[in-house]
Amino acid sequence: MALIDVAISCLNSIREIEEDVKDAIVYIDAGCTESFQFVGAFPLFLELGARAVCSLENMTSLDAVADWNSKTDCAKRIVIMTSRLLNDAHRYMLRCLSTHEGVQHCTVFTSISEGSHSAIPDLPLGPDAYREYETLLVQDYNEHTKKSDKISKDKGVPKFSSALESLTMEPIASENVDISSGGAEGLVVSVHHFPLIICPFTPRAFVLPSQGSVAEASLSRQHEDSLSFGLPPISTGSMSDADDVPSGATLTAHFLYQLALKMELKLEIFSLGDLSKNVGKILTDMSSVYDVGRRKRSAGLLLVDRTLDLITPCCHGDSLFDRIFSSLPRAERFSSQAQLKQGVPSINRPSLDVQVPLGELLNEEPSKIRDSGLPEGIEAFLRGWDSYTSDPKNGGLLNECDKKSTTNWTELLNGSLVATECFRGTPYLEAMIDRKTKDGSVLVKKWLQEALRRENISVNVRARPGYATKPELQAMIRALSQSQSSLLKNKGIIQLAAATAAALDESQSAKWDTFSSAEMMLNVSAGDTSQGLAAQISDLINKSALAELQAKKNEKPDSSSRGLLSFRDALLLTIVGYILAGDNFPTSGSGGPFSWQEEHFLKEAIVDAVLENPSVGNLKFLNGLTEELEGRLNRLKSEETKEIPSDDQLDIDALDDDPWGKWGDEEEEEVDNSKADESYDDMQLKLDLRDRVDSLFRFLHKLSSLRTRNLPLRGGSLASESSFPGDPSGNKGLLYRLITKVLSKQEIPGLEYHSSTVGRFIKSGFGRFGLGQAKPSLADQSVILVFVIGGINGREVLEAQEAVSESGRPDINLVIGGTTLLTPDDMFELLLGQFSHF
């Protein structure tokens, strides 16, 4: 039986729209860019005959001349692909149509189904959303065309430049438009569904685009059981009403339904967690009797709430994949225009497009690179691209490039990771994500050595067998990149090796290892006493605050660059410590896992740290106080720098016994009053800060109660336990324990099966005669799709595959999916940043 490959499925979906793409300018938004980058879809668009593939958000009129297929006539067709709701992408699509005057046909592909548009209450489109939007887009295009014509006549300026300016200055109004009116002559708009816009890291592991509507949608509303807009609420067992289901749950359900249809899978749905149950219920309601007759491959879908296991994505596990995504910079996000819907913000997930610093590695030996002819090739390309604006009298762009440093053009070599790049049929990212840090880096080194042998290139580098270091990888990367042919032929392994070398850099690996050691110490202390764990957390806070203060006084770089933990890092470890404390000491104190005295020391440590360094980051519990705290700190510093009078100076007024001697000395009274006011303000500011810190600890108490408040964890079979010899799952995450129990057919508390429409009918109609169907088991399925609502990380993908390998079931085809890719920094932003629920 064929294995499921989500990356190949994405490419096949693009091939299905060949007729639309051929001879058209293809515009893709930021979410589609992330998806197509991972699947390596850009060469496929060229193969299918697209004129060009351009950014929808950054579109310009010059896109029409960037023709891959050297067409001389003007483009008459435009294809727009978006991962957003139609109303969110509307202004970009309208600007695109207004810029290209000669376009006659516009085809829009969106990953959001018609059912999703009609299911979300605050959206203006109805059940026939695609047809309605076709009419609305044409009508808005006509209005803006007429408006731009009038502006061009009045001011005597080019028509479409004025239209673009008006689009950026004025909001686009689509409401109150008569849908029944006809469209524009010469322009035909058609809207279609394109569900497979996902980011596959491997053939069987994927997440949703971070800048798509599904990933950005809120997963919870603010109430006592919620933690963050970007995370599911605590699973207390109280199912939400249909009207209270967050938009993220609705969009996720419709995405999974359309994904199953596209891959021809008949899903048996299981859920674990309150929000997952809501998603499972929506999925079940969308199934119909007509699905029964279709020949589909049976598969099991397991939905899991991220809130059931927060400690795994918060920790720095042994995963090279996670190190790379945590160490490398990400591409900048495009700002979303609809940030607030019914009081619920959209989540600004970090971009999945990591910037691999290949140019920095090559820039260390610029002389060899110049001799290879690579700069001339890049400059020639740029000269042709910028010939429209270059001045032929001064030689164009080449003279300008000669004046620039090598760093400028080497930045163009910085790239991204592509999931479909293979080594002898094995995808690079798949082989790396299935290995730990040491094994993964050694594998990358082996691939580089194989590539060097194929190119007949020798490298003089001292290598240690069984280890991979940054200098070794650097030397091999430079050798493979000296010629253009070798660089292009081995681009996949070169990019991956550059990313690995950046993650193994001392400044990055030292901090990751420090984090990992601190988390291990907290885990050990959690197995002992609450006093020891509280002391460990307090020590981390004090040391991090002291290190930052010392670095500030010495005017040295940030402490994190030397492997030391910052105060922000200490707060993340405090979250880990409180979750561990709740697992091990659930009844130590009133409302929290620690006693009043232990928690008092922790609060004082955080108050002192904030007073010494108010600008500690984007912390929600300090909103509105940061400027006042910084002003107080600056005032204290200015007072310290004032000249202090010497001890031998005698205060004559201090020897005066006559209290009437200072009668009328108004200036000294004003100084005393101002000092008293400042003292009062300081006292009030400290009281406000202590109130904010108290609210922070109330939130930490909520995190520490996850094990007791999450119903599936109360039995203890899925909860994380302290490791002991002989227990292979002691330090594993929830997914490992869950998949292990599923494949061994053990009872899982809180796991709910969602019967289909036909199943419910058979159960109710024929069950009385003993003809009812038995409850299916996930272990009986050969294909199992596990989707974590809230996100996953690389360590969990590795552990999930380990669970399948250890089960002795090689026939299981396991696919892991999630809302987004989570790093420890992402978890910090969700729990203590602007999307947190305090």
Side-chain angles (χ1 to χ4, degrees), residues 508-816:
Q508 300 292 342
S509 61
K511 183 174 181 180
W512 187 280
D513 294 338
T514 304
F515 253 120
S516 182
S517 299
E519 290 158 1
M520 188 178 299
M521 288 188 296
L522 291 176
N523 197 16
V524 172
S525 299
D528 191 8
T529 61
S530 62
Q531 293 88 349
L533 182 57
Q536 194 74 46
I537 298 173
S538 180
D539 187 52
L540 288 170
I541 295 172
N542 291 327
K543 285 183 177 179
S544 63
L546 181 62
E548 282 195 342
L549 185 61
Q550 195 67 31
K552 226 175 190 180
K553 287 183 178 179
N554 297 336
E555 296 183 353
K556 291 183 178 180
D558 186 30
S559 59
S560 62
S561 63
R562 302 190 306 272
L564 301 177
L565 298 178
S566 64
F567 175 63
R568 177 188 174 98
D569 301 331
L571 287 179
L572 179 60
L573 290 170
T574 302
I575 291 175
V576 174
Y578 261 79
I579 296 176
L580 289 172
D583 291 344
N584 292 274
F585 321 113
T587 57
S588 294
S590 57
F594 299 115
S595 66
W596 179 90
Q597 185 178 14
E598 294 164 356
E599 196 160 89
H600 175 72
F601 289 138
L602 292 175
K603 290 181 180 180
E604 291 300 314
I606 290 181
V607 168
D608 294 340
V610 173
L611 289 175
E612 292 294 338
N613 185 17
S615 55
V616 291
N618 191 19
L619 302 176
K620 189 171 185 179
F621 75 93
L622 291 180
N623 279 356
L625 280 185
T626 304
E627 292 184 2
E628 296 181 32
L629 291 170
E630 289 179 348
R632 171 189 174 276
L633 184 62
N634 294 332
R635 177 168 47 80
L636 292 177
K637 287 181 178 179
S638 63
E639 291 178 358
E640 290 178 359
T641 56
K642 289 182 181 178
E643 185 179 356
I644 301 175
S646 58
D647 295 338
D648 55 353
Q649 288 181 341
L650 191 63
D651 189 358
I652 304 301
D653 293 332
L655 300 177
D656 191 358
D657 293 335
D658 185 9
W660 299 96
K662 295 183 181 181
W663 180 263
D665 197 350
E666 297 178 356
E667 292 183 0
E668 292 192 6
E669 287 185 3
E670 290 178 1
V671 171
D672 292 340
N673 291 335
S674 64
K675 288 184 177 179
D677 292 340
E678 290 177 358
S679 177
Y680 175 79
D681 292 340
D682 284 351
M683 184 178 299
Q684 186 65 36
L685 186 60
K686 289 181 180 179
L687 289 175
D688 291 342
L689 177 59
R690 292 181 189 278
D691 289 340
R692 301 294 184 90
V693 173
D694 286 340
S695 69
L696 168 64
F697 275 80
R698 285 193 294 270
F699 183 76
L700 292 175
H701 291 168
K702 187 186 293 188
L703 293 177
S704 67
S705 66
L706 289 176
R707 179 169 180 175
T708 55
R709 296 179 67 183
N710 276 314
L711 285 181
L713 303 181
R714 290 182 186 175
S717 61
L718 289 176
S720 177
E721 303 287 349
S722 298
S723 60
F724 57 87
D727 180 17
S729 64
N731 292 324
K732 305 290 187 179
L734 174 68
L735 282 191
Y736 176 90
R737 300 191 297 272
L738 186 58
I739 294 173
T740 300
K741 291 182 179 297
V742 163
L743 296 182
S744 59
K745 296 189 176 182
Q746 297 183 30
E747 187 69 23
I748 299 175
L751 183 66
E752 181 171 321
Y753 169 67
H754 297 267
S755 179
S756 64
T757 307
V758 178
R760 290 196 302 267
F761 173 75
I762 293 176
K763 183 177 179 181
S764 59
F766 300 102
R768 68 190 70 176
F769 304 109
L771 300 177
Q773 293 180 329
K775 177 181 177 181
S777 171
L778 263 175
D780 297 333
Q781 305 292 333
S782 60
V783 178
I784 299 178
L785 169 60
V786 180
F787 191 88
V788 182
I789 302 177
I792 57 174
N793 64 3
R795 175 188 167 188
E796 290 180 306
V797 177
L798 167 62
E799 291 178 352
Q801 298 298 337
E802 287 179 352
V804 174
S805 301
E806 295 169 2
S807 68
R809 294 282 306 276
D811 59 310
I812 293 293
N813 190 0
L814 180 67
V815 181
I816 303 292

Side-chain angles (χ1 to χ4, degrees), residues 13 43 46 75 88 109 159 213 229 263 267 335 346 462 478 523 544 577 684 701 776 826 830:
S13 295
L46 175 61
D88 288 343
F109 290 99
K159 178 176 65 172
S213 291
F229 285 113
M263 304 186 74
L267 297 179
S335 59
S346 60
R462 184 176 300 176
R478 292 173 192 149
N523 197 16
S544 63
Q684 186 65 36
H701 291 168
D826 299 337
L830 289 174

Side-chain angles (χ1 to χ4, degrees), residues 451-507:
L452 289 169
R453 277 195 287 269
R454 287 199 309 266
E455 299 294 331
N456 198 19
I457 300 175
S458 61
V459 181
N460 186 15
V461 61
R462 184 176 300 176
R464 293 176 57 192
Y467 290 90
T469 62
K470 182 182 178 181
E472 294 175 5
L473 299 179
Q474 276 182 315
M476 297 180 188
I477 292 169
R478 292 173 192 149
L480 271 179
S481 305
Q482 285 185 11
S483 68
Q484 296 186 37
S485 61
S486 175
L487 176 63
L488 293 176
K489 191 185 303 181
N490 301 285
K491 63 184 184 303
I493 182 57
I494 288 175
Q495 293 283 10
L496 181 59
T500 304
L504 295 179
D505 185 77
E506 185 179 358
S507 62

Side-chain angles (χ1 to χ4, degrees), residues 133-350:
Y133 183 74
E134 291 171 2
T135 307
L136 289 174
L137 182 58
V138 170
Q139 290 182 351
D140 278 1
Y141 171 73
N142 286 337
E143 291 177 8
H144 281 278
T145 302
K146 293 177 182 177
K147 186 176 181 181
S148 63
D149 287 338
K150 182 178 180 182
I151 294 175
S152 61
K153 290 179 181 179
D154 294 343
K155 297 185 178 181
V157 295
K159 178 176 65 172
F160 283 95
S161 62
S162 298
L164 277 174
E165 185 177 353
S166 66
L167 281 170
T168 56
M169 297 297 293
E170 299 180 9
I172 294 174
S174 296
E175 294 84 353
N176 302 323
V177 178
D178 185 11
I179 296 178
S180 61
S181 60
E185 292 184 3
L187 177 63
V188 178
V189 176
S190 58
V191 182
H192 307 281
H193 188 214
F194 190 89
L196 279 180
I197 298 181
I198 58 177
C199 297
F201 301 128
T202 75
R204 283 165 289 281
F206 71 93
V207 295
L208 305 178
S210 64
Q211 301 187 65
S213 291
V214 184
E216 288 183 344
S218 173
L219 295 176
S220 67
R221 304 183 187 275
Q222 195 159 3
H223 52 82
E224 60 178 0
D225 294 328
S226 61
L227 299 173
S228 169
F229 285 113
L231 293 171
I234 301 174
S235 299
T236 58
S238 56
M239 291 285 290
S240 302
D241 296 329
D243 295 337
D244 294 332
V245 174
S247 59
T250 303
L251 291 175
T252 300
H254 283 264
F255 159 75
L256 292 172
Y257 178 74
Q258 297 296 333
L259 177 68
L261 286 180
K262 190 67 178 177
M263 304 186 74
E264 296 184 347
L265 297 176
K266 181 181 181 299
L267 297 179
E268 299 290 349
I269 305 167
F270 297 81
S271 62
L272 191 68
D274 284 357
L275 190 65
S276 293
K277 290 179 181 178
N278 278 324
V279 173
K281 185 177 182 298
I282 298 173
L283 270 170
T284 306
D285 292 342
M286 282 191 292
S287 63
S288 65
V289 215
Y290 301 103
D291 292 336
V292 179
R294 299 180 182 179
R295 292 184 178 180
K296 293 185 178 181
R297 187 177 179 182
S298 179
L301 171 63
L302 176 57
L303 301 167
V304 183
D305 279 6
R306 176 75 273 172
T307 319
L308 296 175
D309 179 18
L310 293 181
I311 199 166
T312 299
C314 284
C315 288
H316 297 68
D318 190 5
S319 168
L320 178 60
F321 186 85
D322 288 337
R323 282 181 183 247
I324 289 176
F325 274 85
S326 295
S327 303
L328 297 184
R330 311 280 188 94
E332 294 184 2
R333 283 182 52 92
F334 289 99
S335 59
S336 177
Q337 298 299 313
Q339 288 292 318
L340 203 64
K341 294 179 180 179
Q342 291 188 345
V344 179
S346 60
I347 314 302
N348 291 331
R349 309 271 188 190

